[in-house]
Structures are given as structure tokens and as C-alpha cells.
Amino acid sequence: MKGWLLKLVLFGLPSLLGLTIAAAWFVPPMLDWSQYRGDLAELVSDKLGRAVTIEGPISLSLLPEPILTASRVSVPDNQDGVTIAVAELRVRLALPALLSGQIDAQEVVLRGLDVRLPWPLGRDRLAMQAPLWLSSITARVQDGKLTVGSLTATGIDATLGLVPETGSYAVAGTAQISGQAWHMTARLTRTGGDGAAGLDLSLDGQGKMQGLGAMFTGQIAADGTLGGRVSGSGPDLSRLLAAPAVPFKAEGRLSIAGGLAVADELAVEIAGSPARGTVALRLEPSLRLDVSIAASRLDLDAWLPALLRGAGSQIATSIPTGVDLSSEAATLLGGTLRGLRGNFEIAPSLVTLQDVAATLPGDAQLTLAGQFRQRAEAGLRFDGTGAISAANLRTTLAWLEAAGLTPLASLPGEVMRTANLRAAVTADINIPGVAALQIGLTDLNGIVDESHIQGDMTLRPGNRLGISGTLGMDKLALDPWLSGKPPSLAGLPTRLGRMDLDMQIRADQATLRNQTLAPVVIDALLETGRLTLRRLDLQSTGARLVASGVINDTGRIADGHLEVTAATETLAPLVTMWAPAFAPLAAHLPRGALALNALISGPPEAQAWRAVADLGDLHVEAQPVMDLPGARWTSSLSLRHPGAPRLLDTIGLGGTASWLGDGSLSFSGNLAGTGFILAPDRIASDAFDLSAGRLRASGALALDRAGTPKVTGRIVAETLPLPLPYPRALDPLPVTLLSGLQVAMKIEAGQVLGGLSPMLQQAAASMSLNGGVLRFENFSAKLDGGALSGGVTLDSNAQPPTLNADLSLSGAHPDGAVFDLPIDVAGGMIDSHAKLSASGYSAGALLSTLSGSWDVQARDGSLVGVDLGAFGPQLVDADLRAALAGGATPFDRFDITAKLHNGAATITESRLVAPSGTGTLLGLLDIAGRLAELRLSLRPAVQDPPEIAVRLSGSLASPIRTPEIADAGRWRAEHH
């Protein structure tokens, strides 16, 4: 018996205990606990103070410790908007209490807890009346979710319990807010007598948010409001807001009431700069965060990219955010902006700008409004409006150029000085570099300088500024764009080397050098220094210029074409505008319509033109080759006109046919020059041929316009026709043309014509003009077989102008009468010397003041007007009268000396020696008045010859002849 009992104790009890443990391990889970669902739900409802339903299976395990598990536990909405759902509820129970039929919960684990609270929280919810059971157990939440209004925290893993030392409730754990991990601790005191409870809360960032933290200390009032102090700091503000990645800290007051959480009176420090701020969080009717920052100084180079990135940031825009940003000064792109203010509405994939304004460098007022939207591809799209008012636009452009956004500040200094513009703005932004890829301006309208403009433009900022679009303007001043210099497209790609252009510009009216052009059309494309001028169309009254061509980055022109058409009345202002060197001739251009066509090609140092122009019947061809960098050029030039006198008549030189003769005009030669071809500094022709009427000439000429213009060269004329001026003409001489000009020229002529009649042969002279004094020196010529030499000087500076001449003639053999006077010399050989001077503003004045001396020596000629040989040996009166009325007297020698004064010649000495007798001629010859008062005294070759004379008085054309033959009667009485 005892053995059996011992065996029972030794083997039976452990077996029983094992069976009991096995039963406790395996049997409870196999039992159907659902029949206790209602009792268990009622028990939990009693503990929580709210109705609880259990929809899922219920199980109990006793080992290794009693665990009661219930699935799909929920606390329905009790008409207060609060709902609680638990995927799985696990309760650790006390075994003794369980064996005695009691439930004593030691720990509660809520896996998959989902709590939804409405916002704003009422007193019942915010007062945090913790359940009594929480004072005796610890609750843990695993993978929980809390939704307050629109704010959601997920992945909650936390422990809730009572702090025995203080009697307060504590929470510690981690959660995901806006996709970022945070570690949270909270302490809630028990409700005091006034119904208020203290709350301490701290948040510390985890993972990407490492280093960020915030603390709150305050209390929850009996009415459910919350108030206290809050502080926060972190190494990177961009982890919280659409802001730059800079350290920050803030401290201020936090209050929650009426569904709004506000942190105000914030003392903020951002990147070491002090600021003031306010943060407001609203959860209903939708989640929204509002941030207001007022700083004394901001670094916009950091803030602007951050704000733009906000439209594509999942961190910054998971909560719709409003940012009110203002700063007394802000730095951007190396410049300082003043009075910055702006409102930014930041939402997922969207940033809205409201009333953004700032004063840019140069006092330019900028305003901007619109929206940045995230595009399907990378980057943003901005749509909005903008306006700028710049009183000193050049300073603003210089700031942008220094920042590498635009080279416009390198344009001529007198353009784009002021602007007042507004437009609808679109922009594509590249988020990684926060660089504007393209900015579109539509409905562009406003004023630049003094021009009202409108149109559409597209800008691509950067080291190479891209500009394209179509602009119209009411007026355009071209002189400032050309900086007062002749326009040269060859230098344009270099001056705009950092720009790409594709522009069409039309100006209703343009001004250039005081000339009005209307309209003006410019259609051009500039890419990487290659300029394609699709069309340049300038129009003025009766004139039009059309140009096109391509200029590459080295200045080479290809397919250049220039076409100019103009009516006669517009030629003078065109010449004055484009060729100021020829402005004095502008009023004397030929009549007729101008048609000019030119083809242009070649590099700047050898730019070749082929130009053909027709002006009425005048045809011009030229092939200049220009070295633009060296400001040098050469050209062949030919001119043709069928009627030289007619051409000269159209330019105001009428009556040339009488001395130039009929015939065509032809010029051909090679030209070379320096400076702008239409306003050269120097122009020269080393060889030219000219024919016009009877004129046939060649030679070389040069005009140097540096300082006082100077003409040098040599003219060799086969035939040189000259006009014979009317000696008594009162028209002013063009002596003003002699001022401001220098001339040093040698002139040679095989034959000189006067009034189309041969006058001189083999003429040569050195012509000089300096300081208004015109000289013909070393003059030589053949006149009637004799040698004519001497010099002539005209001083235009004298008042009135003076003329001096010193001329000598030797060995002349005239064929007929020499002086065209009633008493004249014909034939024989003549020597003469004259030294004359005159003064006056007209030919008539010069003739009427002619003074000086004149000597004539004639040999073996004839005295025309009397016939001394016809006196007869008897000196009969009838024979004498007939001989004194006309005829000719051969002579061996006839010498005359005369003095001239005020246009009248006084013959002071004369001696006639002839085979038929001797004689003298004395008296006055009024050249200017064409009057004569002469007495020719003759002594025939007879013994004791008497003095027989004839007086000539009155008009030189038909003088009155008065014979004096009394001495002949006495002689006859004495000798017969």
C-alpha cells in the first residue's frame, strides 16, 4: 500500500501536473470563448466608460501567462465624433484573480489602434479624463494611428502609464507625422480643483528629422483651451517648411482654442538673423498651416529656391501652408532688395504667389502674382502676372548682368534707361538648379524710355540671354542705339555675343539723325553669335531701305542684300543722314528716282560689295572691298550719263553746254579710303578717267578730312574747257567755298578752251588753297605760239576779297586782232607783262577795281584802225580822213605802257615805229565802263612831217572818231 502510494506521489503527481499544464496550454485556445463576447464587451465598456463592441474572435491562453486576446474591437461614435478601433486587443491577466473568476488586467496592448478625434476638441475630449484603470496598469500601443481633424499620425508605438511619484500620466513613444519619424514624450497631471491639468510635451526628430526638436509647457483649462510656452530648434529649417536649409530656433507662446493652434509672439532666429513670427495650425474644415515671418534681413538666394521647391516637396507640402514673408532688406544675386513682402500659398504640387512686391536695385518696383504648379515632368510651371516700374533701369540691368542672367547692360548707354511694363507671365523652372528655363511674357504693355510697346516675348535668362517674340511700338529713337556712329552690322554679333535673339519689331515711327522713318520693321535671328537679318525695312516719305543677310560670329557676311529706293525730293536728307561728308552737295543731286541694289559678302577685313545704282539717267556701278576692323576700303567706281550738260543742269549748274559742249559723262577709276565709306576720313583715287562734253581728263586725287579737309593730286587734261565769266556780272562769287578747305594740286592741260574756242595750249600750274587763299603758281602755257607764265592769287579772307595777278607773255604770234578794240594790234610777235590787283565780291566789282600796270611790246605787226601808208605824199585832207577812218598800218615796233586804276587803263607812254611813219597812242581806256578817250598821233614819213591825229571817244563798241588834220594844211602850205 505504502509502495503504491509512494509510486503515486513520485510518478502520478508530476504526470497530473504535466497533464494540467498541458491542458492549460492547449485546452483554452481550443475552447469557444465567443459565448462570452457580450460579457467581455460589457466588462471593457464598464472600464472605459464608453460602449465597446467586439466583432472578431476571442481567445485565452494561460501559459506562459494569462493573455486574453480579442480582434476587431471598436468604440462607436457616441455622437461626439470620437471613434476608436483596435485590430487586436491583448490583455495580460492576473492568474489568481482569473482562477477565482475575476479579471484583473495587468497590461493592455492595443495593436492597430485607430483613434479619430474631431477638431476642434471640446472640453470632454481635451480635458484628458484618463480612465481609472490606467492608474493600475500599463497600456502599450503598437502600429497605432491617431487622426485629429485633418492631421494624422501613423505608426504609433507608445507606452502609456501612471508616474507613481507624481500621480501624473506619461506617454512615451514614436510616431510618423507627414511621413517623418518623431519621438514623443508627454506628461499630463491630474485635474486640479479648478478643472485644469498641466501638460508637458516634447518632440524629437528621428531619421531625416534628426536634430529637430520642440518643447511645450502649459496647461489645459477647464473649458478645454490650451495655453503655454513653446520652443523649437533644429539644424535644418527646410525639413519642416519650404525654407532654406539653415539652422533655426524659435520661442514663444502657444494657445489652442476654437479649433486653432497658434504660436505667436515668436522670437525667431534663422541662420543667425533675428526675426519675428507667428505659426497657426488649423485642422478643420481642412488641415492648414500658416507661417508669418518678418525679418530685418533675408537671404533670398536661399529662400527663393526653397519656396519654389516647395511645390514639388512631399515634406513641405503634405500640409497646405501659407507663408507671409516680409523683410526690410533681402540679398538676391549679389544685390539688395528693399521692402520685400509676399504671401505664398504652398500646397501639394502648387505654390501660389499673392501680392509679392520688392524694390530692386535701381529703385525698380517689381510686383508679381500667380501660381507655380508641378509639371508631369521635372520642374515647375508658373502662370501669373507681373509688373515693373524702373526709373533707373540701367542699374537694374547691371545688377542682373553681374548675376549672369542678362548681358543687356552692355548695350549702348543711352537706351533702355527707364521702363514701366506689365504682362501676363509664364515660366518653366528647373527645380534641381532653380534656374528659369523659359519665361513667357504675353500681353506685354507699357513704356520703355519714351516708346510705348506691346506684344509678346519669351526670355531664357542665363549667361546667354535668349529673347524671342514680336513687339510693336509707337516710336523708336534709333540714334541712341547707334551711339551716334554710322550703323555697322558687322560689329553687332560681337556686341551681342552673349545673347540669342529671335525678334520681330515694328515701329510706327522712328527717328534717325533728325529724319523721320515710318514705319520700321526689323526681323532678325541671333544664335550663338550668328545674326540672320531676315528683313530690315526702313521707310520715309518717298524713300525705302530693305536689307537682309547673315553675319556669323567672326563678322563674316553671307547672302547680304541691300535695296534702296527714293524719290528725288528725299535724296538730299538721305545724303545728309548717311553721307555727311557730301552734305554740301546734297541740294544739288540729280533729279530722278534712285534705285540702289547691293550684294554683300565676306569677312570684316575683306567685305565685298557689288552695288548698282540708277538715279534718273545716271548709272553708277561700284565694287568696294572694306576692311572694317582697319577702317579701310578700296573700290572700283564707274558713272555714266548720256548728257553731261543736262546732268549738270539738273544739279543746279545750268548753261554749261555753252562752254563744256555737248556729250556724255563717263567716269571710271579706283578709289581707296579710310573710315566709313559714306563719310570717309580719307578718300583717294590713284588713277581715274573722266570725260564730260569736251572735257577729257585723267589723274590722281585725294581728299583728307582729318582736321581741315585737304585735296591733293594731279589732273592731266587732254582738253580742259573753261567758262568765260561775264566780266561785269554782279552775282556774288562763291568765295565762301574756299574757307575750311586746303588744296595742293598740279594741273596740266593739252588744250584749254574758253567758250569752246581754243585759248591756251600746254597749260600747267600748281594750284594751292590754304587758309582761304587760292594761288595758281608756276603757271605756264602757250598762247598764240608764245609763252605765258606767272601767277594769280585770290585772298577770300580779305574784306572784300582781293585778286592779284602777275603775268608775262613772250613770243606770241596772234593770227588776228589781239584786244578787240577800235585801235588794235594784229599779227607779228608780241611780248607783254601785267601786274594787276582787284577787290570785290563779284566779277563786276573786281573789274571796276582793277588796278596795276601793263606793258606791251609788239614787233612786225599791224596797227588796226588806221592806215598810215594811205596818207599819200601830198597829205590831202580827203586821203587823210579816209586813212584815219580805218585800215591797217604795218609797223616794225609798237610799245605801250599803261597804268590801271579802278577799272580804267591810262596809257602813259607809247611809241609806234613803222615804215610809213611814227606815232603815239595816249589816253584813257575805261575797261569796266567800256568807254574810251584816246588820241592816236601819227607823223607820216615825209620831210618835216606834221602831226596828224585822230581822237576816239565814247563807247568802245562804236567810238566817235574825230580827225585832227590842221597841221597837214600848214604843212602843205609850207612845202607846196
Side-chain angles (χ1 to χ4, degrees), residues 567-821:
T568 303
E569 57 272 16
T570 63
L571 292 179
L574 283 175
V575 171
T576 302
M577 180 190 305
W578 299 108
F582 303 102
L585 303 177
H588 304 291
L589 290 172
R591 301 297 178 185
L594 171 67
L596 167 66
N597 280 278
L599 299 178
I600 312 164
S601 62
E605 62 275 9
Q607 190 179 103
W609 288 52
R610 295 182 60 188
V612 177
D614 290 287
L615 180 56
D617 291 333
L618 178 63
H619 182 77
V620 182
E621 294 184 11
Q623 292 184 338
V625 177
M626 291 179 279
D627 178 2
L628 297 177
R632 297 184 298 269
W633 54 270
T634 60
S635 177
S636 62
L637 176 67
S638 65
L639 297 89
R640 297 191 302 275
H641 192 280
R646 180 158 52 88
L647 174 63
L648 295 174
D649 185 65
T650 61
I651 64 174
L653 299 177
T656 57
S658 60
W659 60 269
L660 185 63
D662 292 327
S664 63
L665 169 72
S666 175
F667 175 90
S668 62
N670 295 320
L671 303 179
T674 59
F676 180 45
I677 192 169
L678 295 180
D681 298 325
R682 186 178 187 277
I683 182 172
S685 174
D686 57 1
F688 68 86
D689 291 295
L690 172 65
S691 64
R694 298 285 298 277
L695 173 65
R696 302 289 186 272
S698 61
L701 290 175
L703 169 63
D704 191 343
R705 297 178 62 235
T708 302
K710 184 176 183 180
V711 179
T712 58
R714 180 171 178 263
I715 295 178
V716 178
E718 177 185 339
T719 304
L720 178 62
L722 296 176
L724 294 178
Y726 180 58
R728 294 191 295 277
L730 300 179
D731 298 331
L733 295 172
V735 292
T736 56
L737 298 178
L738 303 181
S739 61
L741 182 65
Q742 295 184 30
V743 176
M745 188 183 305
K746 292 186 179 297
I747 302 175
E748 300 177 16
Q751 184 178 47
V752 178
L753 304 181
L756 297 179
S757 298
M759 187 168 61
L760 301 175
Q761 293 78 35
Q762 301 178 24
S766 295
M767 175 183 172
S768 66
L769 174 61
N770 193 1
V773 179
L774 177 64
R775 291 184 175 89
F776 289 91
E777 299 175 312
N778 301 320
F779 173 71
S780 63
K782 293 294 185 180
L783 174 61
D784 290 335
L788 179 64
S789 62
V792 179
T793 300
L794 175 62
D795 186 354
S796 65
N797 295 321
Q799 302 294 327
T802 59
L803 177 69
N804 292 280
D806 190 344
L807 299 172
S808 297
L809 177 65
S810 62
H813 300 281
D815 292 333
V818 176
F819 304 109
D820 193 24
L821 296 173

Side-chain angles (χ1 to χ4, degrees), residues 138-157:
T138 299
R140 288 191 297 118
V141 177
Q142 296 178 345
D143 193 22
K145 178 179 180 182
L146 173 64
T147 302
V148 181
S150 301
L151 179 63
T152 300
T154 61
I156 300 174
D157 289 304

Side-chain angles (χ1 to χ4, degrees), residues 820-823 865 884-885 924-925 930-934 950-962:
D820 193 24
L821 296 173
I823 301 296
L884 294 175
L924 179 68
L925 185 64
R930 299 290 293 172
L931 300 174
E933 190 62 44
L934 299 173
V950 59
R951 288 184 178 275
L952 289 87
S953 59
S955 170
L956 284 177
S958 56
I960 299 174
R961 288 175 180 257
T962 304

Side-chain angles (χ1 to χ4, degrees), residues 52-320:
V52 176
T53 61
I54 301 176
E55 300 177 357
I58 301 174
S59 63
L60 175 65
S61 62
L62 296 177
L63 295 176
E65 58 183 350
I67 301 293
L68 177 65
T69 303
S71 300
R72 300 201 300 275
V73 180
S74 63
V75 179
D77 187 352
N78 193 24
Q79 297 182 349
D80 58 2
V82 178
T83 63
I84 303 175
V86 182
E88 183 181 80
L89 172 65
R90 290 186 297 167
V91 182
R92 182 168 61 85
L93 304 174
L95 183 60
L98 181 63
L99 294 176
S100 64
Q102 302 292 323
I103 294 180
D104 183 7
Q106 300 296 305
E107 182 185 43
V108 176
V109 177
L110 306 173
R111 188 178 61 81
L113 173 66
D114 187 353
V115 179
R116 297 180 181 270
L117 301 177
W119 188 265
L121 295 174
R123 183 186 185 283
D124 294 339
R125 307 175 196 109
L126 194 57
M128 300 294 290
Q129 299 293 334
L132 295 177
W133 55 266
L134 191 57
S135 62
S136 59
I137 67 173
T138 299
R140 288 191 297 118
V141 177
Q142 296 178 345
D143 193 22
K145 178 179 180 182
L146 173 64
T147 302
V148 181
S150 301
L151 179 63
T152 300
T154 61
I156 300 174
D157 289 304
T159 300
L160 297 82
L162 179 69
V163 180
E165 295 82 0
T166 61
S168 59
Y169 299 99
V171 178
T174 60
Q176 297 278 334
I177 301 176
S178 298
Q180 301 301 317
W182 296 87
H183 182 268
M184 176 188 72
T185 63
R187 184 180 65 85
L188 179 67
T189 66
R190 293 184 181 273
T191 303
D194 59 355
L199 177 63
D200 295 329
L201 177 66
S202 68
L203 289 173
D204 292 292
Q206 305 294 306
K208 293 183 179 179
M209 310 302 282
Q210 187 73 35
L212 294 173
M215 296 183 63
F216 170 77
T217 301
Q219 65 178 6
I220 303 173
D223 60 357
T225 61
L226 182 147
R229 301 292 296 179
V230 66
S231 63
S233 64
D236 189 348
L237 183 60
S238 67
R239 298 176 185 175
L240 291 177
L241 301 171
V246 295
F248 74 97
K249 60 182 178 180
E251 182 177 357
R253 185 180 64 180
L254 175 65
S255 61
I256 300 177
L260 180 65
V262 178
D264 57 3
E265 299 181 1
L266 289 175
V268 183
E269 186 176 296
I270 302 175
S273 297
R276 303 182 308 277
T278 300
V279 178
L281 177 64
R282 183 180 296 277
L283 279 69
E284 293 292 344
S286 60
L287 183 65
R288 176 177 174 80
L289 177 67
D290 287 291
V291 179
S292 176
I293 299 176
S296 60
R297 192 170 189 87
L298 281 180
D299 182 6
L300 276 184
D301 290 302
W303 271 94
L304 187 58
L307 290 172
L308 293 179
R309 288 192 185 99
S313 170
Q314 295 303 316
I315 298 175
T317 62
S318 59
I319 301 177

